């Protein structure tokens, strides 16, 4: 149609080009393995990412190839994000916390030809390399030449130094232009429900998701924001921040592998970080450290949490420290952010306690995605905050299927079943009650394990808690609670049980409370309930 608007492909490379042109001076700060802090800018990073495209081509990477990264958050990892996707290849981020056998499986499944790896993961690569001889051609260590260490690789698998390759590379003047529906990234689900499955993101989906994440009622990113993603770049693309921050010129502060509370606090204060993003287990450790040391945040004002339920008690603890904490919800298959708990007129005006109560909800739906809670009759449940159903979603950044699993393919407008169970309230806020596989059904009544856990961690002697279903002859299942003591405290099981009185229906009060030294966590920080069931509530 004549006179219509221009059409440009929604390409990931356009983000870093914009950042270089209009926020060229904005900083990317990274902490290296040895603790050193290095600084670069979006302008310099864009130049190196272009050069990196010619490195990739010289390594034999072509359009559509998968290129793996096994790396923590850093400027180099960010360059790789842009160079790999920018040349039309697929950036396959791998979680180094997975079992080595799982990593070998996904590298083989994805057929990654080249692997970029942080020096600290070299031993892991040495261990799995013999199983990958038929797939992997080259391993590139993200290091300076003087920091290179010998690494035994099978014959035919080359070892390279990242900075040497870049120093020797040709300049690449242009970013190629291609279809926005080209695959840009690949991330395998944690595999807590069977073999890991690959989710393939596109340029278009990643770009639209990042724009949605930036919005004021979501992460609210601005050119003046200094954001520290604790969430790793191998965990669903660090929830879109590596794209969202350069889009608006926000400074990115990359913690590398230094994720303990003391290091994080030092980096936050030293780099004037005002926003940080991560999973609840990280926040729990940080808040505990703040309490024990009496330290205060110098500049941190906001925290975004996701990946698991954010307990009320953590929001309250952050509030006492002058920090506003809010949660979003999603999964690898949903890029991941689908809902975020931003205020509405109906929720913004309520008092502090009511706001804390409201903060346990996973939030309302972002434009660009949609959510349905479906009851047993196949219809949407009423928005009453009570009627539970299966949560499904669809939208611009929701998976249509899994990589190389044709039988998983669904239609573009079909609802993707998330496996989560929840309720929707009258204001459109989703509250998750469980994963479908973790549901507790006692005498015909559903009991929310998330609600029990939220209450348990409010108990002064409890640091962390998990509720699971224990088989029961009379009731089918009964809730069993496993708690980890707060440092220096000794929770009394009867006292913890009594703590539930009046807070939930009597039938939902856990029959048994077990005190444990620690809870098993998966590769993305989630509590592994399957292991807890095996240990404490086996079904034979
Ligand atoms: P991710 O790697 O993003 O954590 P996974 O696909 O491994 O994604 O897990 C996604 C699951 O994590 C969701 O289906 C949900 O059960 C849980 N989850 C994510 N965010 C939240 C949240 N804010 N509250 C409760 N559960 C959450």
């Amino acid at each position: 149609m004549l006179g219509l608007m221009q059409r440009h492909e929604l390409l990931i490379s356009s983000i870093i080009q914009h950042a270089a042109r209009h926020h060229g001076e904005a900083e990317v700060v990274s902490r290296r393995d040895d603790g050193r802090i290095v600084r670069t800018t979006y302008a310099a990073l864009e130049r190196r990412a272009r050069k990196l495209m010619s490195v990739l081509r010289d390594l034999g990477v072509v359009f559509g190839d998968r290129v793996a990264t096994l790396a923590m958050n850093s400027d180099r990892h960010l360059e790789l994000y842009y160079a790999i996707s920018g040349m039309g290849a697929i950036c396959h981020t791998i979680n180094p916390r997975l079992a080595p056998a799982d990593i070998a499986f996904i590298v083989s499944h994805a057929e990654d030809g080249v692997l970029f790896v942080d020096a600290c993961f070299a031993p892991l690569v040495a261990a799995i390399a013999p199983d990958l001889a038929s797939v992997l051609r080259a391993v590139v260590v993200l290091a300076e030449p003087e920091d290179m260490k010998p690494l035994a690789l099978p014959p035919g698998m080359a070892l390279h130094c990242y900075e040497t390759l870049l120093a020797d590379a040709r300049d690449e003047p242009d970013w190629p232009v291609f279809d926005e529906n080209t695959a840009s990234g690949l991330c395998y689900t944690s595999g807590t429900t069977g073999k890991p499955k690959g989710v393939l993101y596109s340029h278009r989906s990643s770009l639209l998701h990042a724009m949605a994440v930036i919005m004021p009622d979501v992460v609210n990113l601005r050119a003046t924001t200094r954001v520290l993603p604790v969430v790793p770049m191998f965990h669903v693309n660090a929830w879109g921040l590596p794209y969202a921050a350069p889009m608006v010129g926000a400074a990115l502060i990359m913690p590398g592998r230094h994720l303990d509370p003391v290091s994080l606090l030092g980096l936050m204060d030293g780099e004037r970080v005002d926003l940080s993003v991560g999973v609840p287990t990280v926040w729990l450790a940080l808040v505990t450290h703040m309490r024990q040391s009496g330290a205060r945040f110098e500049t941190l004002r906001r925290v975004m949490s996701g990946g698991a339920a954010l307990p009320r008690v953590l929001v309250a603890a952050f509030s006492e420290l002058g920090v506003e904490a809010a949660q979003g919800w999603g999964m690898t298959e949903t890029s991941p952010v689908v809902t975020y708990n931003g205020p509405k007129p109906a929720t913004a005006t309520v008092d502090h306690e009511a706001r804390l109560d409201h903060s346990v909800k996973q939030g309302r739906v972002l434009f660009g995605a949609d959510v349905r809670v479906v009851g047993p009759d196949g219809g949407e449940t009423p928005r009453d905050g009570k009627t539970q159903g299966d949560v499904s979603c669809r939208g611009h950044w929701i998976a249509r299927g899994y990589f190389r699993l044709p039988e998983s393919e669904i239609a573009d407008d079909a609802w993707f079943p998330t496996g989560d169970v929840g309720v929707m309230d009258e204001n459109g806020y989703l509250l998750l009650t469980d994963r479908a596989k973790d549901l507790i059904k006692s005498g015909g009544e559903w009991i929310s394990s998330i609600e029990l856990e939220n209450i348990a961690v409010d108990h002064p002697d409890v640091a962390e808690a998990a509720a699971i279903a224990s088989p029961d002859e009379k009731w089918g299942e009964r809730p069993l609670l496993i708690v980890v003591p707060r440092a220096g405290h000794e929770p009394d099981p009867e006292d913890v049980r009594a703590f539930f009185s009046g807070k939930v229906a009597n039938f939902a009060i856990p029959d048994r409370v077990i005190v444990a030294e620690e809870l098993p966590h998966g590769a993305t920080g989630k509590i592994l309930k399957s292991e807890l069931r095996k240990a404490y509530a086996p079904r034979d």
Side-chain angles (χ1 to χ4, degrees):
M1 174 98 39
L2 284 179
L4 197 63
M5 294 296 119
Q6 295 185 348
R7 181 177 181 282
H8 295 265
E9 303 294 340
L10 301 176
L11 293 180
I12 283 172
S13 55
S14 67
I15 303 172
I16 200 68
Q17 289 179 80
H18 171 82
R21 257 175 81 71
H22 302 291
H23 301 282
E25 71 299 340
E27 278 191 307
V28 179
V29 179
S30 310
R31 185 171 256 172
R32 294 277 183 254
D33 281 2
D34 61 7
R36 241 176 341 128
I37 291 195
V38 295
R39 296 171 183 283
T40 185
T41 62
Y42 285 131
L45 196 137
E46 189 264 350
R47 274 195 302 276
R48 275 169 58 99
R50 267 189 284 116
K51 264 186 133 183
L52 195 49
M53 283 196 287
S54 54
V55 169
L56 290 164
R57 291 193 181 110
D58 290 347
L59 289 170
V61 176
V62 296
F63 195 88
D65 276 0
R66 273 76 56 205
V67 176
T69 65
L70 201 50
M72 303 304 292
N73 296 2
S74 73
D75 53 339
R76 289 171 174 151
H77 204 175
L78 195 65
E79 289 161 4
L80 283 163
Y81 260 50
Y82 283 98
I84 297 169
S85 308
M87 68 161 285
I90 300 170
C91 181
H92 174 198
T93 51
I94 302 177
N95 185 341
R97 297 171 191 151
L98 291 174
D102 277 341
I103 298 181
F105 167 82
I106 63 178
V107 172
S108 302
H109 188 264
E111 293 185 284
D112 298 320
V114 181
L115 168 65
F116 288 83
V117 59
D118 274 349
C120 62
F121 300 127
L124 177 56
V125 174
I128 58 175
D131 295 334
L132 301 172
S134 60
V135 191
L136 206 56
R137 301 189 299 277
V139 173
V140 184
V141 180
L142 298 169
E144 305 284 348
E146 57 272 24
D147 296 329
M148 287 295 287
K149 301 227 165 51
L151 175 58
L153 297 176
M157 201 183 285
L159 177 67
H160 296 286
C161 165
Y162 183 75
E163 292 298 339
T164 306
L165 289 180
L166 261 175
D168 296 345
R170 294 179 310 282
D171 259 332
E172 184 72 59
D174 299 313
W175 292 94
V177 173
F178 43 81
D179 184 346
E180 65 190 26
N181 291 307
T182 302
S184 59
L186 177 63
C187 187
Y188 280 71
T189 57
S190 342
T192 42
T193 50
K195 276 227 177 300
K197 289 184 287 226
V199 179
L200 202 54
Y201 308 105
S202 71
H203 284 256
R204 177 187 162 83
S205 73
S206 306
L207 194 133
L208 292 175
H209 172 262
M211 288 180 93
V213 164
I214 288 168
M215 290 201 190
D217 274 352
V218 190
V219 180
N220 189 8
L221 275 185
R222 321 180 55 175
T224 48
T225 308
R226 293 178 69 81
V227 55
L228 189 158
V230 184
V231 56
M233 291 169 74
F234 53 75
H235 187 184
V236 212
N237 300 319
W239 304 344
L241 283 168
Y243 307 125
M247 244 182 213
V248 296
L252 268 173
I253 316 298
M254 305 294 219
R257 66 186 176 120
H258 306 277
L259 302 179
D260 61 285
V262 176
S263 305
L264 282 180
L265 181 61
L267 193 60
M268 285 169 175
D269 287 348
E271 293 299 328
R272 293 173 290 115
V273 167
D274 55 344
L275 166 68
S276 191
V277 180
V279 297
T281 30
V282 167
W283 303 138
L284 178 66
L286 185 59
V287 161
T288 305
H289 167 72
M290 303 300 283
R291 280 222 184 93
Q292 283 166 356
S293 64
R296 304 286 298 179
F297 295 111
E298 283 179 20
T299 53
L300 188 73
R301 292 295 166 261
R302 292 189 298 128
V303 152
M304 179 210 166
S305 182
L310 177 66
R312 186 184 192 279
V313 66
L314 258 182
V315 182
F318 269 121
S319 176
E320 276 167 28
L321 291 161
V323 173
E324 183 192 306
Q327 65 182 313
W329 163 79
M331 60 202 305
T332 306
E333 291 87 336
T334 67
S335 297
V337 189
V338 178
T339 69
Y340 195 82
N341 193 334
K344 265 189 172 181
T347 65
T349 51
V350 291
D351 66 39
H352 184 62
E353 289 301 314
R355 264 217 308 278
L356 287 178
D357 290 344
H358 178 71
S359 69
V360 301
K361 297 183 180 175
Q362 277 64 27
R364 54 188 166 78
V365 180
L366 274 53
F367 172 76
D370 201 2
V371 166
R372 272 199 328 176
V373 180
V374 175
D377 60 357
E380 262 192 87
T381 55
R383 294 190 166 200
D384 57 5
K386 289 200 282 277
T387 314
Q388 188 165 278
D390 292 318
V391 180
S392 54
C393 53
R394 67 181 183 188
H396 295 300
W397 51 86
I398 311 297
R400 209 175 53 197
Y402 293 99
F403 181 54
R404 294 185 158 167
L405 274 182
E407 63 277 21
S408 68
E409 205 73 14
I410 57 173
D412 269 325
D413 62 350
W415 292 88
F416 176 85
T418 65
D420 284 327
V421 177
V423 300
M424 191 70 98
D425 76 10
E426 61 281 13
N427 295 312
Y429 287 81
L430 177 71
L431 171 71
L432 287 196
T433 46
D434 254 306
R435 290 290 286 163
K437 63 183 169 28
D438 295 334
L439 280 171
I440 307 171
K441 194 167 196 184
S442 176
E445 298 280 357
W446 295 111
I447 298 172
S448 163
S449 68
I450 296 182
E451 187 182 10
L452 296 183
E453 289 155 9
N454 273 339
I455 294 171
V457 293
D458 222 354
H459 188 284
D461 298 333
V462 174
E464 213 183 355
I468 56 171
S470 171
D472 184 275
E473 264 184 30
K474 182 163 175 202
W475 302 106
E477 290 175 346
R478 289 293 303 144
L480 162 66
L481 186 74
I482 301 135
V483 298
V484 176
R486 257 199 202 186
H489 294 243
E490 278 180 34
D492 167 32
E494 271 319 301
D495 185 49
V496 174
R497 283 192 67 236
F499 190 67
F500 283 88
S501 175
K503 297 190 173 86
V504 289
N506 279 342
F507 67 79
I509 298 179
D511 282 352
R512 275 192 300 151
V513 174
I514 294 174
V515 180
E517 282 297 297
E518 57 177 1
L519 296 175
H521 287 100
T524 55
K526 288 192 219 310
I527 295 172
L528 291 175
K529 295 215 172 160
S530 50
E531 299 215 346
L532 287 175
R533 279 191 290 264
K534 253 186 255 158
Y536 296 106
R539 283 162 205 262
D540 31 38

